[in-house]
Amino acid sequence: MAGLNVSALADFNNETAGRIVPKMVFEGYTTSILPVQEGIKHLEPLQIFDTTVVLQSGSCVSTPAGEFTATQRNIQVQPRVSYDGLCLDTLNTKSLGISTLDAGSYNETFKLAEVYSSQIVNQVKKLNDSYLWTSGSGTFADQTTVAAGATLVPAGTGSFTSTTALDVLDAYIAAIPSDISDRSDITIWMGVSSFRQYIAALRKNNNYYEGSVDGANAANGVLTSMYPFANVKVVGTPGITDGRICLMPDAYAVIGTDLLSDVDSFSMWYDVNSDQLKHRLKSKLGSQVAFPEFILTNKAV
């Protein structure tokens, strides 16, 4: 439903508006953890380089051997727009109008504009997190599958509960390719409910792993944790809702956009022609992975 919906409010009866409690949601971690490539209007290559070194035997080697390979994988971004208009006159018959509208019949200002704009940014960031993990082609939803070149971890296709979580994640860690085993940016991505099961598994095993799980962060609702005795970070993000568990190095998973600040810097204005407070938020979003062979997943397609 577009516009200002006040159907749940009673008509004005001289009551004063009470405490205002805006709904704010968990935005997710994807764009704050992974590298972002800005300046993409539509499509831009992710330049990938690899070197094959051949060590030859003999003291007088004269035949070249080895290879420097340059390839590319394209990041294609999709335009995303939030546009809506609020008819502030709707509040004339509601008690909320007392505290949110100025005196006079020309309702051109909205005292909740700052709260409203904060909610727009908050919701868009959550929707962007969801888009990157659920929207198919051109996003991690498609790029972190076996069909796209990732490696299947069979243990990850079963149930993920507080009883099985540690065994499943141990299987992921055991399957990490040796070529990336020393990296400090390896992350296991999962949904919020799966992350809760992982934390419950640590408690059930009566091992709180002080120093590995940041108790202060956990108490503040931060859904990130260093896996015990491993160079692996575990992250729960709201964009993953299909049971996906994906391991990959952060540096090899790139988010593409035109300008990251587009989400925070958007237009809001009063349109005298339509008699509405309007906003328009425009952004672009996409992703690409550099080396699918270093991704571990529980999704075939």
Side-chain angles (χ1 to χ4, degrees):
M1 181 177 180
L4 183 56
N5 182 357
V6 292
S7 60
L9 301 181
D11 285 343
F12 183 76
N13 57 5
N14 287 327
E15 63 188 6
T16 58
R19 182 185 181 93
I20 295 173
V21 184
K23 179 181 179 181
M24 305 298 283
V25 297
F26 181 21
E27 298 172 356
Y29 295 118
T30 310
T31 57
S32 62
I33 291 178
L34 298 180
V36 177
Q37 185 166 328
E38 294 185 286
I40 304 177
K41 292 295 185 183
H42 172 61
L43 186 144
E44 189 170 295
L46 184 65
Q47 305 289 357
I48 300 169
F49 303 103
D50 192 12
T51 300
T52 301
V53 176
V54 177
L55 295 178
Q56 304 181 64
S57 60
S59 56
C60 296
V61 176
S62 60
T63 303
E67 188 175 52
F68 175 80
T69 305
T71 59
Q72 67 182 43
R73 297 171 67 87
N74 293 328
I75 304 178
Q76 182 172 340
V77 296
Q78 297 295 329
R80 295 166 60 75
V81 180
S82 171
Y83 171 72
D84 199 2
L86 308 182
C87 178
L88 299 181
D89 284 353
T90 308
L91 293 174
N92 283 333
T93 61
K94 306 297 179 180
S95 59
L96 186 61
I98 298 175
S99 57
T100 59
L101 300 176
D102 288 336
S105 298
Y106 292 95
N107 296 320
E108 299 180 0
T109 59
F110 188 37
K111 294 179 182 178
L112 289 181
E114 185 174 349
V115 174
Y116 177 50
S117 61
S118 296
Q119 284 190 303
I120 291 171
V121 172
N122 174 245
Q123 292 280 351
V124 168
K125 288 182 176 180
K126 179 186 177 181
L127 290 170
N128 282 347
D129 195 83
S130 177
Y131 176 80
L132 287 170
W133 289 106
T134 63
S135 296
S137 180
T139 68
F140 295 133
D142 174 64
Q143 296 154 355
T144 60
T145 64
V146 174
T151 300
L152 181 69
V153 179
T157 61
S159 63
F160 192 85
T161 66
S162 60
T163 302
T164 63
L166 298 185
D167 288 336
V168 171
L169 298 187
D170 281 341
Y172 271 80
I173 293 171
I176 294 175
S178 59
D179 283 348
I180 62 168
S181 59
D182 65 336
R183 297 184 65 95
S184 61
D185 66 341
I186 299 176
T187 300
I188 296 178
W189 294 89
M190 61 179 62
V192 172
S193 61
S194 294
F195 185 87
R196 297 296 190 195
Q197 293 298 322
Y198 155 66
I199 293 299
L202 295 179
R203 292 198 303 268
K204 286 181 66 174
N205 279 271
N206 199 28
N207 265 316
Y208 294 89
Y209 300 114
E210 281 299 329
S212 294
V213 176
D214 187 334
N217 279 349
N220 288 325
V222 178
L223 273 62
T224 64
S225 166
M226 288 304 298
Y227 194 76
F229 315 115
N231 58 323
V232 175
K233 178 169 70 266
V234 183
V235 175
T237 200
I240 299 178
T241 58
D242 60 354
R244 183 183 307 267
I245 302 175
C246 166
L247 179 149
M248 57 187 179
D250 295 344
Y252 294 162
V254 181
I255 295 168
T257 188
D258 194 347
L259 194 62
L260 194 59
S261 61
D262 279 341
V263 173
D264 297 284
S265 303
F266 65 96
S267 299
M268 183 179 293
W269 73 99
Y270 178 76
D271 186 343
V272 66
N273 294 308
S274 63
D275 203 14
Q276 290 183 331
L277 179 68
K278 293 185 175 181
H279 85 267
R280 186 188 304 275
L281 188 157
K282 300 174 68 175
S283 63
K284 301 181 183 72
L285 194 62
S287 67
Q288 187 56 271
V289 297
F291 303 104
E293 63 269 27
F294 293 146
I295 297 175
L296 304 179
T297 185
N298 61 347
K299 293 295 181 181
V301 292

